[in-house]
């Protein structure tokens, strides 16, 4: 890879900036850490102490969460408040009141507000942690004090403010509306009206129970996800990301549309660990999008391919962007069963995307990666030892060990395997940087989970979730297909602008009961909701993954969004299929091997035909493409009769096109 001078974008404490580093050296190092590096090089910004404080808090948070699995400190009202204190405090330090990265070079009067908010965050959370048992018992015994209530109000508002700074206005407005609904919804009408709820009861529930801010999402972030983010940070800094890029280039680079296929391979592998589709877009897109444009892919198509591939990483086992652990916690289904259920649909999605790219490239005559950009002989072997941590992590998880143990040992194996060669060996400074950047990466996810806890808490205390579920069931008149469409729309709308974990947690509170009451298996219901929560990231008008990809590609935002939907079209269909046919999730009982193999083969052929229909190659006629799409659906849907009809229709269509092409050649 020799695009050393290629300017590329990268994430920097919430903003996009340009640099001229080589692909090999591109990273997501935050502005705070670069400020510390400047200090070490002799530059002393005016407020260097703030940057130092941020680094100390971030490193301390990472170390503490690595110690927790060893000492077993899982007390609910200690671990979760401390996690929110460390990560939320880091958010107030590194994000200023405008919602951008902190400028450490000059004073601004709003810093005084930030200091006050940080102090309030410390006071409200230390109040919980000083005696967790007594704190929890006060609510259970209906003996909450005035101080408890006031601190509950303050912490709720602090979470809303952190959401505005770190994530943006959509989720902030949504949380604010939900709180307003809880306070004044008694004056509404119809199914929206709820019983009067005293404000004290509302904020005590947000603050003093596990059905509010300290709910399951924050608990999973504190217990599992943070460790996996540290693992991903160490893999990146040991050049594991470079290994993934080189492997992707070697596997697909020379074929038609090679750079786009590299985006699929790298995004699927990196995206499952990143926990954020937007972070995945920025990490891999800065490398793949310029290369796609270089070989002739249209800018909006380049951005769309990267957005679709990066979003797909959130449904790709084994980590699924950390949602797998949240789903296991909510459903009670074991982690191993969840990733097994997610495997085939995710593979079908990526296979269809790969086929669409390949056939589109053949249609448009788009070449592969230039030879000078391909990995040189021995470059992959030089880094192949960095694959050890990835295989080790998956093996430990599948062996049934806890996610905490798997992540912690995975971090240790990453350090040891990187030390096998000097070129990948991590220095002490690199590891410290990895610890800080992991904590910084966790800010958005943690704040989103706390905000999602508020929304779910409001739904519980007002009964809105159950009433919405009942209304959806009534509106569907008992027809499952109508209910699925309504839940799909709900998930896409509510998920817009939110990180994956928050989108899943909020939407499952409404859609989950609907599907389960209509007889959908729990795993299928939750996976259905997860898919559309993820697809909201690329669906216009609010599509954060498509926004980021369009910025990198310098393309029209709406064109990029609609193109991303086109490339990911099979993902919009798959959830309906596995709801009607749970065999696709490998959860049917009893398990039949021959039926399973038949399902895999026919679904794979269907995914290929789906890609052919979307790309318009070799069938370009609109009617032929619609018929081919119908054949693809019949093959993807499990069932003997539909498989036969789909295969017959596909053979007729492709055979007819072949006859026409021969006739044109003869003429």
């Amino acid at each position: 890879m020799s695009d050393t001078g290629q300017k590329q974008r990268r994430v920097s404490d919430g903003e996009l900036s340009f640099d001229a580093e080589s692909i090999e050296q591109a990273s997501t190092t935050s502005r705070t850490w670069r400020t510390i590096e400047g200090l070490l090089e002799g530059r002393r910004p005016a407020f260097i102490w703030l940057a130092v404080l941020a680094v100390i808090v971030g490193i301390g948070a990472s170390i503490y969460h690595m110690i927790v699995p060893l000492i077993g400190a899982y007390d609910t009202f200690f671990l979760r408040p401390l996690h929110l204190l460390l990560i939320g405090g880091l958010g107030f330090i590194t994000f200023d009141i405008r919602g951008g990265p902190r400028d450490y070079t000059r004073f601004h009067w709003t810093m005084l507000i930030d200091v006050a908010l940080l102090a309030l965050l410390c006071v409200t959370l230390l109040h919980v942690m000083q005696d967790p048992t007594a704190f929890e018992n006060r609510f259970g015994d209906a003996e909450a004090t005035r101080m408890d209530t006031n601190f509950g109000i303050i912490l709720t508002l602090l979470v809303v403010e952190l959401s505005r700074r770190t994530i943006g206005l959509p989720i902030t407005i949504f949380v604010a509306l939900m709180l307003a609904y809880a306070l004044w919804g008694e004056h509404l009408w119809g199914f929206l009206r709820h019983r009067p709820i005293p404000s004290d009861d509302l904020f005590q529930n947000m603050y003093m129970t596990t059905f509010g801010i300290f709910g399951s999402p924050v608990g999973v972030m504190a217990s599992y996800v943070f460790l996996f983010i540290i693992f991903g940070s160490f893999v990146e800094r040991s050049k594991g990301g470079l290994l993934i890029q080189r492997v992707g280039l070697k596997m697909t680079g020379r074929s038609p549309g090679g750079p786009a296929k590299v985006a699929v391979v790298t995004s699927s592998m990196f995206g499952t660990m990143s926990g954020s589709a937007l972070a995945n877009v920025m990490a891999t897109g800065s490398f793949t999008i310029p290369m796609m444009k270089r070989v002739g892919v249209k800018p909006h198509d380049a951005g769309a391919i990267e957005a679709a591939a990066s979003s797909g990483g959130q449904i790709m086992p084994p980590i699924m962007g950390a949602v797998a652990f949240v789903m296991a916690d909510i459903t009670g289904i074991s982690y191993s069963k969840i990733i097994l259920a997610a495997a085939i649909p995710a593979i079908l999605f990526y296979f269809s995307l790969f086929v669409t790219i390949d056939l589109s490239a053949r249609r448009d005559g788009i070449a592969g990666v230039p030879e000078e950009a391909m990995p040189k002989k021995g470059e992959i072997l030089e880094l192949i030892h960095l694959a050890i941590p990835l295989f080790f992590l998956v093996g430990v998880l599948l062996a049934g060990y806890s996610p905490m143990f798997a992540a912690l040992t995975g971090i240790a194996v990453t350090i040891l395997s990187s030390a096998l060669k000097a070129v990948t060996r991590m220095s002490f400074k690199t590891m410290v940087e990895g610890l800080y950047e992991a904590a910084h990466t966790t800010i958005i996810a943690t704040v989103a989970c706390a905000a999602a806890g508020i929304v779910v808490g409001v739904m519980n205390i007002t009964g809105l979730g159950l009433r919405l579920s009942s209304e959806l069931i009534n509106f569907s008149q008992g027809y499952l297909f109508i209910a699925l469409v309504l839940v799909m729309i709900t998930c896409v709308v509510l998920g817009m602008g939110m990180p994956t974990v928050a989108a899943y947690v909020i939407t499952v509170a409404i859609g989950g009961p609907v599907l389960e009451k209509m007889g959908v298996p729990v795993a299928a219901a939750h996976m259905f909701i997860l898919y559309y929560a993820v697809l909201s990231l690329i669906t216009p008008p609010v599509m954060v993954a498509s926004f980021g990809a369009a910025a990198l590609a310098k393309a029209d935002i709406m064109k990029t969004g609609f193109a991303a939907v086109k490339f990911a079209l099979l993902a919009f269909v798959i959830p309906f299929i596995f709801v009607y046919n749970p065999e696709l999730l490998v959860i049917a009982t009893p398990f039949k091997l021959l039926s399973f193999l038949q399902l895999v083969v026919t679904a794979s052929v269907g995914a290929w035909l789906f890609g052919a229909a979307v790309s318009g190659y070799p069938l370009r006629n609109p009617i032929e493409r619609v018929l081919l799409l119908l054949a693809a659906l019949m093959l993807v849907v499990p069932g003997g009769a539909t498989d036969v009809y789909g295969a017959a229709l596909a053979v007729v269509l492709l055979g007819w096109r072949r006859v026409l092409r021969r006739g044109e050649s003869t003429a």
Side-chain angles (χ1 to χ4, degrees), residues 224-482:
Y224 313 144
V225 178
F226 196 168
L227 289 172
F228 281 92
I229 292 176
I230 297 173
F231 170 76
S233 179
F234 274 49
V235 167
E236 179 186 356
R237 276 156 184 78
S238 65
K239 297 189 177 180
L242 179 58
L243 172 64
I244 292 174
Q245 289 178 358
R246 287 180 176 175
V247 169
L249 281 167
K250 193 68 175 179
M251 289 174 59
T252 63
R254 289 190 175 90
S255 61
K261 295 174 183 175
V262 172
V264 174
V265 175
T266 56
S267 295
S268 64
M269 290 190 285
F270 182 81
T272 188
M273 295 185 293
S274 71
S276 167
L278 179 58
N280 193 7
V281 166
M282 295 304 172
T284 60
S286 60
F287 159 69
T288 59
I289 289 176
M291 192 170 285
M292 281 189 269
K293 292 172 64 177
R294 182 179 173 186
V295 298
V297 178
K298 296 176 182 177
H300 66 272
D301 279 340
I305 290 169
E306 181 58 49
S310 294
S311 299
Q314 306 293 286
I315 57 174
M316 173 61 77
I319 300 175
M320 297 169 63
V323 176
F325 305 112
V326 181
M327 188 180 294
D329 189 76
I330 292 175
T331 62
I333 300 173
S334 68
Y335 165 80
S336 58
K337 289 183 178 179
I338 285 176
I339 62 171
L340 182 63
I344 292 179
I347 292 170
L348 287 176
F349 162 67
Y350 273 112
F351 181 61
S352 173
L353 179 60
F354 195 90
V355 169
T356 303
I357 292 169
D358 179 77
L359 296 179
S360 297
R362 294 178 188 277
R363 179 196 65 203
D364 298 334
I366 296 175
V369 176
E371 186 61 34
E372 66 270 16
M374 291 293 293
K376 303 299 184 291
K377 185 177 181 180
E379 285 186 341
I380 292 180
L381 290 177
E382 183 183 43
L383 302 176
I384 196 65
H385 59 289
L386 297 178
I388 296 174
L390 302 177
F391 286 107
F392 176 86
L393 179 71
V394 175
V396 172
L397 287 170
L398 294 179
Y401 289 94
S402 70
M404 296 82 72
F405 177 81
L408 196 60
T409 53
I411 293 168
V413 171
T414 301
I415 296 172
L416 294 175
S417 61
S418 70
L420 293 176
K421 291 187 179 181
V423 69
T424 59
R425 188 173 300 130
M426 291 188 290
S427 65
F428 177 76
K429 174 179 174 291
T430 301
M431 287 189 282
V432 170
E433 177 187 358
L435 292 174
Y436 168 74
E437 293 297 340
H440 187 271
T441 302
T442 311
I443 293 173
I444 291 178
T446 294
V447 173
C449 286
I454 294 175
V455 173
V456 174
V458 169
M459 288 184 180
N460 285 332
I461 197 172
T462 62
L464 177 63
L466 291 176
R467 289 199 303 278
L468 280 175
S469 299
S470 298
E471 288 296 320
L472 289 176
I473 292 174
N474 292 335
F475 190 82
S476 66
Q477 296 294 312
Y479 291 100
L480 179 58
F481 180 78
I482 297 176

Side-chain angles (χ1 to χ4, degrees), residues 62-375:
S62 294
I63 293 175
Y64 171 74
H65 283 76
M66 292 169 66
I67 293 174
V68 167
L70 302 177
I71 62 177
Y74 289 108
D75 190 284
T76 299
F77 284 100
F78 186 85
L79 176 62
R80 297 181 187 186
L82 181 56
H83 175 78
L84 187 57
L85 173 61
L86 294 171
I87 302 304
L90 188 61
F92 275 124
I93 296 172
T94 56
F95 288 83
D96 65 19
I97 200 168
R98 300 167 303 152
R102 174 80 59 192
D103 184 354
Y104 300 99
T105 61
R106 61 178 183 270
F107 172 79
H108 193 274
W109 67 269
T110 56
M111 284 185 177
L112 300 176
I113 298 176
D114 299 334
V115 172
L117 295 178
L118 181 59
L120 287 172
L121 184 71
C122 293
V123 171
T124 56
L125 293 173
L126 290 174
H127 176 70
V128 180
M129 296 160 52
Q130 66 178 351
D131 193 345
T133 303
F135 177 81
E136 188 174 9
N137 290 338
R138 281 202 301 276
F139 181 83
D141 298 335
E143 296 177 353
T145 65
R146 185 71 247 171
M147 182 178 293
D148 292 331
T149 304
N150 290 338
F151 282 170
I153 296 172
I154 293 171
L155 182 61
T156 302
L157 296 177
L158 288 173
V159 170
V160 174
E161 169 60 11
L162 274 171
S163 300
R164 184 192 66 81
R165 292 187 183 211
T166 61
I167 304 174
L169 285 177
I171 190 172
T172 308
I173 294 172
F174 183 57
V175 173
L177 288 174
M178 291 300 292
L179 288 170
Y181 170 73
L183 291 171
W184 300 296
E186 61 183 283
H187 303 298
L188 296 177
W189 55 91
F191 76 93
L192 291 176
R193 185 175 183 178
H194 61 73
R195 64 176 179 84
I197 299 174
S199 59
D200 288 3
D201 290 354
L202 172 65
F203 291 106
Q204 287 170 15
N205 271 273
M206 296 297 108
Y207 183 53
M208 304 182 73
T209 73
T210 55
F211 298 99
I213 294 171
F214 302 124
S216 175
V218 169
V220 173
M221 284 298 305
S223 302
Y224 313 144
V225 178
F226 196 168
L227 289 172
F228 281 92
I229 292 176
I230 297 173
F231 170 76
S233 179
F234 274 49
V235 167
E236 179 186 356
R237 276 156 184 78
S238 65
K239 297 189 177 180
L242 179 58
L243 172 64
I244 292 174
Q245 289 178 358
R246 287 180 176 175
V247 169
L249 281 167
K250 193 68 175 179
M251 289 174 59
T252 63
R254 289 190 175 90
S255 61
K261 295 174 183 175
V262 172
V264 174
V265 175
T266 56
S267 295
S268 64
M269 290 190 285
F270 182 81
T272 188
M273 295 185 293
S274 71
S276 167
L278 179 58
N280 193 7
V281 166
M282 295 304 172
T284 60
S286 60
F287 159 69
T288 59
I289 289 176
M291 192 170 285
M292 281 189 269
K293 292 172 64 177
R294 182 179 173 186
V295 298
V297 178
K298 296 176 182 177
H300 66 272
D301 279 340
I305 290 169
E306 181 58 49
S310 294
S311 299
Q314 306 293 286
I315 57 174
M316 173 61 77
I319 300 175
M320 297 169 63
V323 176
F325 305 112
V326 181
M327 188 180 294
D329 189 76
I330 292 175
T331 62
I333 300 173
S334 68
Y335 165 80
S336 58
K337 289 183 178 179
I338 285 176
I339 62 171
L340 182 63
I344 292 179
I347 292 170
L348 287 176
F349 162 67
Y350 273 112
F351 181 61
S352 173
L353 179 60
F354 195 90
V355 169
T356 303
I357 292 169
D358 179 77
L359 296 179
S360 297
R362 294 178 188 277
R363 179 196 65 203
D364 298 334
I366 296 175
V369 176
E371 186 61 34
E372 66 270 16
M374 291 293 293

